[in-house]
Amino acid sequence: MPRPLGELEDAVMTRVWQWNRPVTVREVLEDLQQERSIAYTTVMTVMDNLHQKGWVRREAEGRAYRYTAVSTRAAYSAALMNEAWSTSDNPAAALVAFFGMMSAEQRDALRDAFRIVGYDDGTAAEPPAESAGRPPAAPSAAPPAAPSAEPPPAEEDSAERGPEAGR
């Protein structure tokens, strides 16, 4: 199961998810700089870490990399909720407490989700035995177990990748 993203990882992934297209370190940097002072090498390191953790894949384009999200924000959120729920020693009580914290809009979204998966009228088939007692898992909720290592492109002195590209 995924660990929660750190603050800067989340800020980077939010942009990757919102833009929903391959992005460069420079694009993310320029957008982040509208909110905070941050160095190119810091953003590059965070994006490399996200790649190593399996949250983004990257492809070389010229002397730069373009990064693309491996899964959606919704799948990430679902995996975090499932992890928190499954680690409880009393899952029913955890759900009751969670539902008690929900706003009216969140309860409406929950009802909509039950309708979508077919659990709203009691006629839907029970979930498979291996997932009984757990909500349906979102597809691609977690990053791949073992991200593949990619060899760097031939041009190592890229200004786009910065001085730390070989680390």
Side-chain angles (χ1 to χ4, degrees):
M1 280 296 164
R3 289 188 351 210
L5 296 170
E7 179 188 344
L8 190 51
E9 289 175 327
D10 187 69
V12 169
M13 284 305 300
T14 294
R15 282 151 180 85
V16 174
W17 283 319
Q18 285 176 343
W19 296 341
N20 197 28
R21 61 175 173 75
V23 300
T24 64
V25 171
R26 176 110 14 237
E27 290 172 310
V28 174
L29 170 72
E30 290 172 358
D31 200 61
L32 283 170
Q33 285 178 329
Q34 295 176 22
E35 300 171 1
R36 62 177 94 185
S37 177
I38 190 165
Y40 179 94
T41 54
T42 301
V43 177
M44 181 182 60
T45 299
V46 169
M47 293 185 81
D48 184 59
N49 289 344
L50 289 166
H51 175 256
Q52 296 302 319
K53 291 178 180 181
W55 286 108
V56 294
R57 70 178 139 264
R58 68 184 181 197
E59 291 187 26
E61 183 177 283
R63 298 189 323 172
Y65 284 121
R66 288 211 172 260
Y67 294 84
T68 308
V70 170
S71 66
T72 65
R73 166 75 95 182
Y76 165 72
S77 297
L80 290 178
M81 289 187 290
N82 189 54
E83 174 71 9
W85 183 60
S86 67
T87 60
S88 172
D89 61 349
N90 188 341
L95 285 175
V96 168
F98 179 65
F99 295 154
M101 295 178 202
M102 290 180 147
S103 67
E105 294 81 17
Q106 289 169 323
R107 288 190 302 274
D108 288 343
L110 181 62
R111 278 190 284 277
D112 291 344
F114 274 124
R115 277 192 288 278
I116 290 168
V117 297
Y119 294 138
D120 62 333
D121 62 3
T123 61
E126 287 296 314
E130 65 272 5
S131 65
R134 292 194 316 251
S140 302
S148 63
E150 296 179 26
E155 297 122 309
E156 289 298 320
D157 295 317
S158 167
E160 181 64 20
R161 276 186 262 146
E164 297 183 21
R167 287 197 313 161

